[in-house]
Amino acid sequence: MAVDIPYNVDKWRPSDQKAYNAWLSKVLDEAKAEENQKLLPPVQALKELIENDHYIWNLAQMMFDEIPKRLVDAPAGLPQVRDYHQMLLMINRVIQRAPEYNETSFVGTPMAAIFNYPMGTRAGYAFFMNDKVNAKLRDILNYWGRYLKSEASTYVLNTSSEGWLSKEALTRMAEKAYGDSFQDTFVCRSNDFEKHLGFTSWDDYFTREFKPGVRPVENPDDPDSIACSCESAPLKIAHNVPLQAKFWIKSQPYSLLDLLQGDPWADKFAGGTLYQAFLSVFSYHRWNSPVDGTIVKAYNLPGSYYAEDLYKGYGSVTPDDSQATASQEFLTSTSTRAVFFIKADNPKIGLMCFVAVGMSEVSSDEITVKVGQHVKKGDQLGMFHYGGSTHVMLFRPETQLEFNLHGQTPGLGSSDIKVRSEIARVK
């Protein structure tokens, strides 16, 4: 009998069940082969937290026990992580390697894939929302991030079938998305493939920049034209956004107090407009100012890394678009994020807010501007490091907008709108 196995189609985790199974099986085998090796310091620290805190230990046990029986009894060909000991071994394996390219089954967020089943349970929700657990996960991700910024991670920047400089990968990263070759699209410091095109690490490759002129600002001198902040696909437009809402319920309303974690300026946007768009792992990951204006606040917010919307739970093999969309909306109130308040030069816009939401591994939200700095439309604000992610723009109720989605309807079926192109006009 076929087993109904859920998987995620929210554009930042694997949507190919067969590929996911093969990847997980490979990582499990590699992790077991390393079973006699010592856990790396941050993974050992998570193990000690689990085993020395009775409440967290209970959650770590229960989140695997609560996985539905039909999934626990799945055939051997459908692997899963069975307990927290296996989970730790697999984390240990992942953070010692850089991601390999695979056009059909690339796992953009490998640890989210490891946690896929337990984080869908009620105990998993409590475990991954726990502040102590998230502090340890942050240390693990920072450890991995340092490796991905090191020269050692360049081993995946090669021309093999699993390399990021293969013909298939470069076509996926540039020609399919931007209509030109990789080297004509992005800044490369060398033409030598043996020298990784000049990229010094995996992270350096991932945060690559467009060449000058590749993404010009549309309507640079028109203050009523608002630019797209990221190379991203429109997910949702919400009007009359509430100050506070139960953001975990089925209809997934946005909650400004939760999104901005109680910032005293949240009430300035109550009743206003929110635009959310998402980035895939293959998108350009730098953020740009949507308006001419002054940075009046810029800060990072801590949050959870792997908490999942309880409503989503375990659906069918093809969860519907509303479930996957709700998952991304949920993350705007729970994940780590970078917040920018920008006072636009145009008084019809006035104060606006841009929020870069880090998803799971993509939780290194780097801010590259300072408070008091004046930015022009299209200037860089910061960047995500690794993986897929989402972002939000908030406008006050006084700001009346007409959106320009370039012929698209918001949702997971949409495609990237060019960064710095017009996304809205103020009336």
Side-chain angles (χ1 to χ4, degrees):
M1 179 185 295
V3 179
D4 189 23
I5 303 293
Y7 65 102
N8 298 287
V9 291
D10 44 11
K11 299 287 185 175
W12 56 280
R13 279 185 283 168
S15 59
D16 183 327
Q17 184 68 51
K18 184 177 179 181
Y20 169 68
N21 294 341
W23 179 87
L24 196 63
S25 182
K26 175 186 174 185
V27 176
L28 267 170
D29 289 344
E30 291 175 351
K32 288 175 181 176
E34 296 174 352
E35 211 162 326
N36 295 323
Q37 291 187 13
K38 214 173 160 184
L39 293 178
L40 294 167
V43 185
Q44 178 65 27
L46 176 58
K47 181 176 187 288
E48 291 172 2
L49 172 66
I50 291 171
E51 295 179 348
N52 293 326
D53 187 309
H54 188 65
Y55 172 68
I56 293 174
W57 182 86
N58 273 327
L59 293 177
Q61 299 286 351
M62 289 168 61
M63 68 182 182
F64 290 99
D65 292 341
E66 288 179 2
I67 297 171
K69 183 174 173 56
R70 62 190 172 85
L71 304 179
V72 173
D73 295 338
L78 297 176
Q80 62 167 273
V81 187
R82 300 287 173 171
D83 54 44
Y84 78 83
H85 298 286
Q86 279 190 350
M87 178 184 80
L88 293 171
L89 284 173
M90 294 175 74
I91 294 171
N92 206 57
R93 177 266 182 204
V94 163
I95 66 174
Q96 298 181 68
R97 291 165 171 79
E100 297 174 338
Y101 174 79
N102 188 312
E103 186 170 4
T104 59
S105 63
F106 171 68
V107 180
T109 50
M111 277 185 273
I114 291 169
F115 303 147
N116 190 37
Y117 290 104
M119 74 182 183
T121 66
R122 290 188 174 275
Y125 178 87
F127 180 86
F128 289 110
M129 285 291 283
N130 185 276
D131 289 342
K132 293 179 183 178
V133 170
N134 279 301
K136 301 303 180 188
L137 289 173
R138 180 175 63 248
D139 292 343
I140 288 170
L141 293 174
N142 285 340
Y143 184 100
W144 192 33
R146 287 191 293 273
Y147 172 76
L148 294 177
K149 290 180 179 180
S150 74
E151 186 179 357
S153 66
T154 58
Y155 76 91
V156 294
L157 303 182
N158 60 63
T159 57
S160 73
S161 61
E162 294 183 335
W164 288 91
L165 301 183
S166 65
K167 181 179 178 181
E168 293 78 10
L170 296 184
T171 298
R172 175 74 176 269
M173 302 300 285
E175 290 178 15
K176 285 186 179 179
Y178 309 113
D180 216 334
S181 72
F182 186 90
Q183 288 155 285
D184 288 336
T185 303
F186 299 106
V187 174
C188 300
R189 292 180 287 276
S190 168
N191 289 320
D192 190 343
F193 283 84
E194 293 296 320
K195 294 181 179 178
H196 319 297
L197 296 183
F199 294 106
T200 57
S201 67
W202 155 256
D203 182 76
D204 188 32
Y205 171 87
F206 182 77
T207 58
R208 62 198 175 278
E209 295 185 78
F210 283 126
K211 279 192 166 183
V214 170
R215 284 292 186 265
V217 178
E218 187 175 359
N219 304 322
D221 300 318
D222 183 351
D224 290 343
S225 179
I226 297 169
C228 190
S229 295
C230 299
E231 190 93 358
S232 52
L235 182 78
K236 192 170 182 179
I237 296 172
H239 301 283
N240 197 26
V241 182
L243 183 62
Q244 190 168 27
K246 294 181 180 179
F247 61 86
W248 58 86
I249 66 175
K250 181 176 178 178
S251 59
Q252 198 61 66
Y254 292 96
S255 173
L256 290 172
L257 284 177
D258 292 294
L259 170 63
L260 301 175
Q261 210 168 90
D263 190 290
W265 287 0
D267 61 355
K268 296 179 184 294
F269 299 93
T273 303
L274 179 150
Y275 170 78
Q276 184 177 0
F278 63 92
L279 298 76
S280 78
V281 294
F282 299 104
S283 299
Y284 180 73
H285 273 71
R286 291 175 183 256
W287 327 317
N288 300 273
S289 179
V291 296
D292 293 346
T294 302
I295 308 296
V296 289
K297 276 190 190 182
Y299 55 86
N300 289 104
L301 283 176
S304 63
Y305 295 94
Y306 297 99
E308 183 169 86
D309 182 5
L310 275 175
Y311 160 66
K312 185 176 179 182
Y314 292 98
S316 66
V317 171
T318 53
D320 65 33
D321 187 79
S322 64
Q323 285 180 309
T325 301
S327 175
Q328 294 216 25
E329 293 166 6
F330 170 79
L331 292 172
T332 64
S333 292
T334 56
S335 292
T336 59
R337 46 211 184 272
V339 178
F340 300 80
F341 288 94
I342 305 171
K343 185 177 181 181
D345 293 346
N346 184 347
K348 291 193 290 183
I349 300 173
L351 187 69
M352 66 153 301
C353 184
F354 170 82
V355 184
V357 182
M359 290 182 171
S360 56
E361 281 90 328
V362 205
S363 295
S364 179
D365 301 337
E366 181 184 356
I367 294 172
T368 59
V369 292
K370 295 180 179 179
V371 172
Q373 180 177 338
H374 187 271
V375 291
K376 297 291 289 180
K377 183 165 41 178
D379 285 354
Q380 181 175 292
L381 298 175
M383 71 193 81
F384 291 119
H385 290 269
Y386 185 59
S389 19
T390 191
H391 72 92
V392 161
M393 288 195 293
L394 287 173
F395 299 92
R396 298 172 306 135
E398 298 93 325
T399 305
Q400 299 300 305
L401 300 166
E402 182 177 346
F403 282 90
N404 176 7
L405 302 184
H406 302 261
Q408 298 197 70
T409 301
L412 289 172
S414 62
S415 56
D416 284 356
I417 292 174
K418 293 177 181 179
V419 66
R420 301 191 183 99
S421 64
E422 182 179 89
I423 195 68
R425 293 190 65 82
V426 61
K427 297 178 184 179

